[in-house]
Amino acid sequence: MHLRPDATNGQSTADAGAGWRIQARLRQFLPVPGLPILVISAVLLTAVGAPLLSPHVPTRGDLDRSLLPPFWASGGSLDHPLGTDLYGRDQLSRIFYGARISLWVAALVISVSIVVGTPVGMIAGYVGGWFDAILMRMVDLVLAFPLILLAIMLAVVFGPSFANVVVVVSLLIWPRLARLIRAETLSLRHNDFVVYAEVVGIPVWRIMIRHLFPNVLPTLIVMTTLEIGHVILIESSLSFLGAGIPPPYPSWGLMVADGRGRIVTGWWLSLFPGLAILVTVLAFTLFGDWLRERLDPRLRDR
Amino acid sequence: MSRLGGPSWEGLLLAVALLAVPFPRISALQGAPPPLQGALMIGVRTLGTEVWDEAKASGAEKEILQMVGDTLLRMDPATRELRPGLVESWQVSSDGRTWTFSLRADIRFHDGWGPLTAEDVKFTWARVISKESVALGAGILREAVNGNMENFEIVNARQFRIRTPSIQIDLPLNLSNGVLQAFTIQSRRYFGAVGEERAVTHPVGTGPFRLASHVRGQQVTLEAVASHWRQTPGFKTVVVRIIREEAAMLAELQSSTLDLAPLSVSLKREAQRAGLHSSSVPSTANAYVVFGGMYPGHQNYDRNAPWIQAENPAKGRLVREALTLAIARRAIVERILSGEGQPAGAPFSFIPGPFRFNDPNWKVPPYDPARAKRLLAEGGYPSGFTMDMPIYPLAGRPEVEDIAHAVADMYEMIGIRVNRIPMEYRPTFRARLAARATKGMVFVNANTFYDEPAAFFRVAGAPEATLAFIHDARVSATVKSLSGELDTEKRMALARELGNYIVRERLAAPIASMSGMWIMGKKVGKVQFITSMATLNSVEYITPAR
Amino acid sequence: MSAQEQLVLDVRNLRVTISSPTRGVVRAVDGVSFRVCRGETLGIVGESASGKSMTALGIMRLQPPNAQVEAEQIWFEGQDLVRLTQQQMRRLRGRRIAMIPQDPTTSLNPAFTMGDQLSEPLALHRRLRGAVLRDEVIAALRRVKVPAPEHRVHQFPHQLSGGMRQRVVGAIAFSCNPVLLIADEPTTALDVTIQHQILRLLKELQRQIGVGLIFITHDLSLAWRMCDRVAVMYAGRIVETGPVGDLFANPRHPYTAALLACLPTRDSVERLGVIEGSPPDPAAFPSGCRFAPRCSRAEDACRVKYPEETQLKRDRSFSCFLPMRT
């Protein structure tokens, strides 16, 4: 893209000032996806505010209030708006705290994955050669390993726990991230400005951090958003199988499992946490897709 | 003639034809053939190895074997008292080491394989205790003859004598159909004539049923024997089908492609909602809270546990009492067991019910959390304490896990901090029990029915046992006396004394007994399962609905 | 070149080979030798795919990943660049050896301001910080005649014209007073009017600091303007080299002559001359002289063996069996 000298030669833009620049940027926005953002905000809110919002302690049960239906069904009450489970624990509170757990796990897993996966991916993509080959074979190895099996094994040996879930799911996610970062790095690696930075003598680590990373960042952000949904699904699956978050802590997956034997007589047990998973994962995925739409064309339009 | 892009006459005709074909009913859930009219369809989770050989039977195969064959003794379904079976009378010598059994005269094997004699008993016994045997009762039978068939004497065709190396008060019990290790008598002539391989795939016995056909992995079809010496079955044909998933069983019961199946109690509401009725088998298990570390004299003795307090045992007892009063037994029975059970007054093998080892003075402890808190304070823990609670699933008893969680909740309500530790029973927790490594732990356990309390403590309550919940000198002493007492009345009195001691000292906190649940369809009239037996039995006594 | 003039770069038999899975071994640069002295401009002239850009990358050891750089020697300031590690090369790049790449648009990082782009090498190579750094950046921009440098430092590449961007690239190249500068078609992406400005600037800066300049171009007229000596490359090899005046007046190699014939003059009203055919596939060079397929003077002898280099004078040579007559 080669600008003619009489076009934006810097003078006019400098005069117009920052306002015009911001407006120009805003015009590039695609229509904002209101509903997913709303849902995500709601989930974040309940996750953060669970202690304040929950009418009851989620892990404490009262057998006398066992298996109460939601408030609109006969036998239900507003004291337990979404009913109770076998032990008399309030479902609404458990859903709120479940959001907390899901998002907390997702945050930890994604942080670990970014911290591990980004340097691995960038180094593999930049340096290439045998380093890349070894790293990518390691990634293949991790991806080929049946991680559900590993999770169950860990759960049997060490007992299911929060740490287990984070470790296992991180093991699954970081290679995907590393792969993507590597691909981005590879595609940028031989871009002129990277070669030029080498020409100018900038050391490799500085090139990776200052020059490559900011260009890799949008992809990273998009992937992060998409992976949140993925992580929540995996964690729910693990908890459903009993290899994830241990009872009595509420995880949506665990709640769905608990309701499995009472689909008819205790329909509220699996339905609401199942819906929660569905809606949350959908929201994050839609948001991530929108983000990808928004960021990528702009990137390619250099 | 079809034109491009438009529907064709042929296609339309085909679609209509397909719609007109009635779809097969979803009894093809397991690809089973359509049910026989007038047959009783029973569902089971498994039929084990599906080889009908007493020497190889370690579990589910026994259900079929006991339909095709008979055991030496039988058990009264309601009281669990021993009754004659193939054996019409038996006695033991005064030193308690020689047992003489007399067989009935009129027992004949099916299909003309001749009368049943003491030879057949010896033949079956020898096979069960042989080196290759993996039978469930092998150990007990081997012990009875001290490993040597010389100790099995055939007096005549109808009488045989067994010399035991020591007093074995439960020998007749183990020859009856009321225990898991029951064994039926198989024909020596038949095995000799057709060879072992055919004999165990096409079994011949003296029981109320004949095995008609067997589709491996799917089902066994049995035909009733007309005029059986003991009981002619109520249904002419019985089909026992293997259905692995409880949900599938429930679905088939609803659609009447199944008439009888065992289901876990958590599905009771669902079954009732579907209009099915249930039959309970009471006292199949007893659940209780075990206090860990109670092993005086052992290296893992937890002297300072709040519930022990070796320096101040009275206070320890107060804490145990508190932990007993904090449990809402009725709520557990109603909510978690869906009513299939009974609050218990005593733990371990003293399962609630009309059994002679039970003392009616053992009252179910009241649910009194306020008093529990006071007792805790008196016991030296006004602000509670922390306990670890391993929570493990027991095979076939998912309710125990639920009970454990509920008990944890109840303890938390009186100020105790419960650290729930989910784990597997095998190998993790079992290894701990074997090593007596239960310091700081309080956990919920359940055991199956034991006719003889001594048998339970020998397995799970003595220093010599592989697993032990407690070590206690007085318990061990009483169990020793129990094992040597031939007289049943005296033995049961000793058992009640043992129970009294355990209840008084609150060596464990009772919770409730659990019942097994059979769901029945409209075809079934009356059933008469043996109390405390969770497996399929007494099929010949099932009568059709009128 | 008199004895007093200092040698900056002495390349002997430089080869850059690319192993491609689809095309086999591609010999992009197939034995190239030349020297550059302080303050002099050597032009490397040739068509696209003649290997001239790869020569530059090869010297800087910035060849693409599947390419190999070999040479008898690449002598630079007492070191043989072929034997240096990448680590050691990095210490030279940007500081002692600088390069002005072809397209300033894609060479500058679009996410950084001009100030950032300049500050980085200055901070790195000359360890400047803070106010001193800021002043130096402004000074560097002034040196390349960028108007209103105080404003430009805050602008992004896409806000500047092509010429302005190339000036900034030039500023970066000169900021650390390199000893050797390689300019790879520095004006090809620019308008004709801007080209002249940039080239004039380049010449001036070269005079100021006496840097040895390798000027790579396909445009003979630019070579005429900028260079002291010229090396003509064809199919990975140098076919003729010599002082610019002599080369233009008396080309010996038919390819050089043909190139010169293509130059438009004020008199040419008819069609521009073209050279028939296209350069050979670098994965499969013909035996013998590589220009032979397109050479009007070629004979059988030309196709059998590659012509040895004929040395006429010091710094004047060609490789041809049947050179043009003077």
Side-chain angles (χ1 to χ4, degrees):
Chain A
M1 194 171 66
H2 178 88
L3 293 178
R4 305 200 53 85
D6 51 300
T8 325
N9 61 2
Q11 290 278 48
S12 49
T13 320
D15 294 343
W20 281 33
R21 240 174 288 146
I22 290 174
Q23 263 193 43
R25 293 257 164 97
L26 275 177
R27 246 177 267 129
Q28 292 176 42
F29 267 69
L30 300 168
V32 178
L35 200 56
I37 289 185
L38 203 70
V39 170
I40 293 176
S41 313
V43 173
L44 278 170
L45 205 73
T46 56
V48 169
L52 296 168
L53 293 166
S54 305
H56 298 269
V57 175
T59 54
R60 192 69 63 75
D62 182 2
L63 271 191
D64 287 328
R65 302 192 191 196
S66 165
L67 292 175
L68 292 175
F71 73 90
W72 60 85
S74 81
S77 81
L78 277 171
D79 195 24
H80 295 286
L82 290 182
T84 59
D85 65 0
L86 177 67
Y87 308 105
R89 300 193 288 231
D90 180 43
Q91 288 291 81
L92 185 66
S93 310
R94 284 172 71 79
I95 289 193
F96 285 162
Y97 274 85
R100 202 168 220 217
I101 286 189
S102 294
L103 287 184
W104 190 219
V105 168
L108 279 177
V109 165
I110 293 197
S111 308
V112 168
S113 302
I114 290 180
V115 163
V116 173
T118 306
V120 168
M122 283 190 74
I123 294 177
Y126 193 91
V127 170
W130 59 266
F131 192 79
D132 179 25
I134 290 184
L135 275 174
M136 284 304 117
R137 293 297 82 74
M138 270 172 57
V139 167
D140 285 340
L141 195 77
V142 172
L143 282 175
F145 196 88
L147 271 146
I148 300 274
L149 205 65
L150 177 69
I152 295 179
M153 268 163 51
L154 282 179
V156 168
V157 174
F158 297 110
S161 72
F162 192 83
N164 272 0
V165 180
V166 173
V167 164
V168 169
V169 183
S170 302
L171 279 177
L172 184 60
I173 300 292
W174 84 257
R176 295 161 55 92
L177 220 71
R179 267 226 174 131
L180 196 77
I181 302 288
R182 171 184 174 275
E184 278 294 306
T185 307
L186 266 180
S187 74
L188 290 170
R189 165 84 179 79
H190 295 289
N191 264 18
D192 286 350
F193 71 86
V194 176
V195 178
Y196 183 62
E198 290 182 312
V199 162
V200 174
I202 314 283
V204 172
W205 64 266
R206 234 190 118 85
I207 294 182
M208 285 210 276
I209 295 178
R210 274 209 82 202
H211 294 259
L212 278 175
F213 184 70
N215 288 296
V216 159
L217 195 59
T219 317
L220 194 59
I221 292 177
V222 170
M223 213 207 174
T224 298
T225 318
L226 288 173
E227 286 299 314
I228 291 181
H230 197 200
V231 169
I232 293 180
L233 268 180
I234 298 178
E235 178 269 308
S236 301
S237 312
L238 286 179
S239 301
F240 182 89
L241 293 172
I245 305 288
Y249 300 108
S251 147
W252 290 337
L254 200 55
M255 290 166 75
V256 173
D258 281 344
R260 235 182 347 154
R262 293 168 213 270
I263 294 290
V264 174
T265 56
W267 53 269
W268 58 93
L269 294 173
S270 292
L271 179 67
F272 295 118
L275 275 180
I277 298 175
L278 172 68
V279 165
T280 308
V281 171
L282 202 60
F284 273 105
T285 309
L286 286 176
F287 182 65
D289 276 345
W290 171 81
L291 212 60
R292 196 210 334 249
E293 283 296 303
R294 164 136 156 47
L295 287 174
D296 274 355
R298 218 159 62 89
L299 282 179
R300 287 196 213 105
D301 237 332
R302 235 177 281 134
Chain B
M1 198 68 69
S2 59
R3 275 164 292 138
L4 281 169
S8 69
W9 278 114
E10 290 94 323
L12 217 58
L13 226 57
L14 188 63
V16 170
L18 279 175
L19 284 171
V21 169
F23 284 105
R25 295 183 61 189
I26 314 264
S27 66
L29 277 171
Q30 296 244 322
L36 298 167
Q37 289 301 83
L40 178 68
M41 315 282 285
I42 305 180
V44 292
R45 302 284 288 273
T46 170
L47 282 176
T49 58
E50 297 184 54
V51 170
W52 323 116
D53 179 0
E54 286 294 354
K56 297 273 181 354
S58 56
E61 306 85 359
K62 291 207 179 269
E63 291 170 335
I64 301 294
L65 279 164
Q66 295 202 13
M67 292 170 72
V68 169
D70 287 308
T71 54
L72 289 170
L73 265 57
R74 298 191 60 80
M75 198 174 262
D76 181 287
T79 64
R80 290 188 68 87
E81 279 179 5
L82 287 174
R83 301 258 179 277
L86 292 172
V87 160
E88 65 180 1
S89 68
W90 67 97
Q91 64 230 60
V92 63
S93 62
S94 45
D95 70 345
R97 294 183 43 205
T98 306
W99 295 82
T100 310
F101 296 91
S102 302
L103 293 164
R104 286 176 69 118
D106 58 343
I107 315 284
R108 300 190 76 79
F109 283 101
H110 304 146
D111 301 336
W113 284 97
L116 181 142
T117 66
E119 290 284 351
D120 298 300
V121 180
K122 183 170 187 179
F123 169 71
T124 310
W125 197 295
R127 290 194 74 240
V128 169
I129 70 168
S130 68
K131 264 200 285 288
E132 305 82 49
S133 163
V134 293
L136 199 58
I140 294 171
L141 294 188
R142 200 174 285 135
E143 218 183 293
V145 292
N146 205 14
N148 186 353
M149 285 308 287
E150 299 284 311
N151 289 317
F152 189 109
E153 185 199 330
I154 296 185
V155 175
N156 56 52
R158 286 182 51 201
Q159 226 180 38
F160 59 93
R161 200 166 280 153
I162 295 181
R163 253 177 289 278
T164 62
S166 59
I167 299 180
Q168 295 181 1
I169 49 168
D170 39 13
L171 179 60
L173 179 68
N174 288 313
L175 301 177
S176 78
N177 66 334
V179 295
L180 285 173
Q181 56 268 26
F183 70 103
T184 60
I185 304 302
Q186 301 187 295
S187 165
R188 190 172 70 104
R189 264 187 68 197
Y190 182 59
F191 269 74
V194 306
E196 185 177 304
E197 203 185 309
R198 184 165 171 90
V200 301
T201 48
H202 298 76
V204 151
T206 59
F209 291 97
R210 207 181 263 114
L211 192 129
S213 70
H214 171 204
V215 179
R216 194 155 238 290
Q218 280 199 29
Q219 63 187 46
V220 174
T221 308
L222 302 115
E223 302 276 335
V225 166
S227 56
H228 184 253
W229 63 270
R230 178 168 46 82
Q231 169 82 11
T232 301
F235 282 89
K236 282 229 167 12
T237 313
V238 171
V239 182
V240 179
R241 291 176 47 205
I242 301 176
I243 303 176
R244 296 191 201 282
E245 279 289 325
E246 283 204 314
M249 277 202 212
L250 184 58
E252 292 220 32
L253 283 162
Q254 279 176 258
S255 63
S256 299
T257 50
L258 204 61
D259 302 310
L260 180 69
L263 289 182
S264 58
V265 296
S266 56
L267 289 175
K268 186 174 180 185
R269 271 203 201 181
E270 299 275 321
Q272 284 176 336
R273 174 72 79 88
L276 301 162
H277 54 286
S278 64
S279 171
S280 304
V281 178
S283 312
T284 52
N286 196 24
Y288 44 89
V289 176
V290 179
F291 304 115
M294 291 180 65
Y295 307 111
H298 191 274
Q299 64 185 29
N300 281 337
Y301 180 39
D302 194 3
R303 307 187 61 90
N304 300 318
W307 51 85
I308 298 179
Q309 296 186 57
E311 312 304 315
N312 209 330
K315 284 205 172 160
R317 201 198 153 286
L318 284 174
V319 172
R320 294 199 298 277
E321 182 72 23
L323 292 177
T324 306
L325 294 174
I327 302 175
R329 289 166 184 81
R330 183 136 299 282
I332 288 178
V333 169
E334 271 164 31
R335 306 295 186 170
I336 295 180
L337 299 179
S338 304
E340 297 290 325
Q342 228 187 306
F348 298 133
S349 59
F350 297 103
I351 201 168
F355 309 112
R356 285 187 292 175
F357 48 69
N358 277 339
D359 188 328
N361 293 324
W362 301 336
K363 296 276 184 287
V364 174
Y367 174 49
D368 197 339
R371 180 138 177 266
K373 275 214 192 103
R374 283 200 303 274
L375 288 178
L376 265 187
E378 279 178 49
Y381 291 90
S383 41
F385 53 86
T386 307
M387 66 164 62
D388 286 337
M389 184 181 281
I391 298 184
Y392 47 87
L394 282 174
R397 269 177 236 287
E399 301 82 47
V400 175
E401 232 183 317
D402 293 338
I403 293 177
H405 278 293
V407 168
D409 284 342
M410 292 165 193
Y411 284 167
E412 276 170 359
M413 276 207 264
I414 63 166
I416 296 176
R417 291 166 292 287
V418 181
N419 181 22
R420 300 171 208 223
I421 309 174
M423 63 172 73
E424 294 299 307
Y425 181 69
R426 274 178 204 273
T428 322
F429 189 66
R430 199 169 181 283
R432 281 185 179 278
L433 277 179
R436 319 290 194 253
T438 53
K439 241 187 196 179
M441 295 182 185
V442 168
F443 54 94
V444 172
N445 193 68
N447 53 261
T448 51
F449 186 86
Y450 281 82
D451 295 88
E452 295 290 337
F456 168 79
F457 285 97
R458 273 206 304 273
V459 161
E464 320 79 66
T466 326
L467 320 169
F469 298 115
I470 51 168
H471 288 175
D472 185 289
R474 186 149 158 203
V475 168
S476 300
T478 317
V479 170
K480 256 202 191 60
S481 325
L482 268 174
S483 309
E485 180 53 68
L486 274 172
D487 183 290
T488 309
E489 278 303 323
K490 290 209 185 96
R491 201 165 62 241
M492 289 300 141
L494 276 175
R496 288 194 293 275
E497 200 186 297
L498 175 62
N500 276 332
Y501 171 66
I502 291 174
V503 168
R504 218 173 38 240
E505 288 301 308
R506 292 280 181 235
L507 293 184
I511 303 179
S513 70
M514 296 159 60
S515 303
M517 187 177 75
W518 290 85
I519 302 293
M520 307 180 298
K522 292 191 277 292
K523 215 187 280 176
V524 178
K526 274 184 57 190
V527 300
Q528 202 183 52
F529 294 124
I530 301 174
T531 294
S532 314
M533 281 211 76
T535 50
L536 180 66
N537 61 77
S538 314
V539 179
E540 61 273 21
Y541 293 96
I542 300 178
T543 53
R546 232 168 292 277
Chain C
M1 186 167 65
S2 68
Q4 292 121 311
E5 282 164 357
Q6 291 168 7
L7 189 61
V8 165
L9 180 71
D10 187 355
V11 176
R12 301 225 186 115
N13 202 11
L14 170 67
R15 295 180 300 284
V16 180
T17 39
I18 305 175
S19 8
S20 149
T22 45
R23 296 174 65 197
V25 171
V26 174
R27 291 187 292 208
V29 180
D30 199 18
V32 155
S33 308
F34 54 83
R35 291 142 84 169
V36 182
C37 294
R38 286 213 65 193
E40 95 166 317
T41 308
L42 169 72
I44 298 186
V45 175
E47 291 172 86
S48 35
S50 54
K52 42 193 212 300
S53 288
M54 201 56 78
T55 306
L57 290 177
I59 293 172
M60 295 203 72
R61 301 275 304 284
L62 284 175
Q63 71 279 12
N66 50 352
Q68 283 263 87
V69 171
E70 294 162 310
E72 247 174 67
Q73 72 164 33
I74 306 179
W75 183 94
F76 174 77
E77 287 202 313
Q79 294 181 7
D80 187 355
L81 299 187
V82 185
R83 286 178 225 306
L84 292 188
T85 62
Q86 283 292 340
Q87 185 81 318
Q88 291 163 320
M89 281 303 300
R90 259 177 236 128
R91 274 190 234 119
L92 296 175
R93 289 192 206 120
R95 197 182 308 185
R96 310 301 288 161
I97 309 180
M99 183 156 125
I100 296 181
Q102 187 165 324
D103 189 353
T105 312
T106 52
S107 298
L108 294 171
N109 192 324
F112 292 163
T113 62
M114 289 306 167
D116 289 333
Q117 315 262 15
L118 265 168
S119 309
E120 202 169 14
L122 282 175
L124 193 66
H125 297 306
R126 288 171 55 183
R127 301 194 199 290
L128 302 177
R129 301 267 181 278
V132 179
L133 177 62
R134 272 198 297 275
D135 292 340
E136 190 54 44
V137 166
I138 307 268
L141 284 177
R142 261 193 249 279
R143 261 213 312 203
V144 292
K145 308 221 180 9
V146 168
E150 308 82 10
H151 282 242
R152 299 285 181 231
V153 286
H154 297 302
Q155 290 187 323
F156 290 91
H158 67 269
Q159 291 171 296
L160 270 57
S161 67
M164 211 60 68
R165 288 198 281 258
Q166 198 63 302
R167 283 174 199 273
V168 173
V169 168
I172 295 175
F174 279 99
S175 64
C176 302
N177 295 324
V179 164
L180 175 69
L181 175 62
I182 306 177
D184 186 359
E185 311 231 31
T187 54
T188 306
L190 303 175
D191 282 350
V192 172
T193 40
I194 308 294
Q195 270 182 22
H196 290 313
Q197 290 177 17
I198 300 294
L199 290 178
R200 199 166 40 232
L201 179 65
L202 195 55
K203 243 342 199 195
E204 204 181 301
L205 288 171
Q206 185 194 21
R207 260 198 298 274
Q208 277 179 19
I209 67 172
V211 63
L213 174 63
I214 300 181
F215 188 80
I216 300 176
T217 182
H218 63 271
D219 188 337
L220 274 175
S221 56
L222 293 184
W224 171 251
R225 280 189 52 185
M226 292 292 295
C227 307
D228 302 316
R229 292 183 304 117
V230 171
V232 180
M233 264 188 86
Y234 185 79
R237 290 200 176 153
I238 293 181
V239 296
E240 184 165 6
T241 172
V244 63
D246 191 19
L247 196 102
F248 274 56
N250 302 311
R252 303 311 299 274
H253 196 284
Y255 178 60
T256 317
L259 278 180
L260 285 168
C262 295
L263 278 179
T265 66
R266 262 190 231 106
D267 303 326
S268 59
V269 288
E270 288 136 23
R271 290 172 54 174
L272 289 175
V274 295
I275 310 178
E276 294 288 330
S278 51
D281 178 5
F285 284 134
S287 52
C289 172
R290 294 174 182 173
F291 185 62
R294 299 164 84 186
C295 184
S296 50
R297 298 159 62 84
E299 287 170 17
D300 290 328
C302 300
R303 286 177 247 275
V304 172
K305 197 158 112 51
Y306 192 88
E308 297 264 326
E309 200 187 28
T310 311
Q311 193 92 14
L312 286 179
K313 286 197 284 275
R314 199 150 173 256
D315 301 323
R316 184 80 177 89
S317 60
F318 60 87
S319 305
C320 183
F321 287 131
L322 306 166
M324 314 286 289
R325 266 183 279 278
T326 42

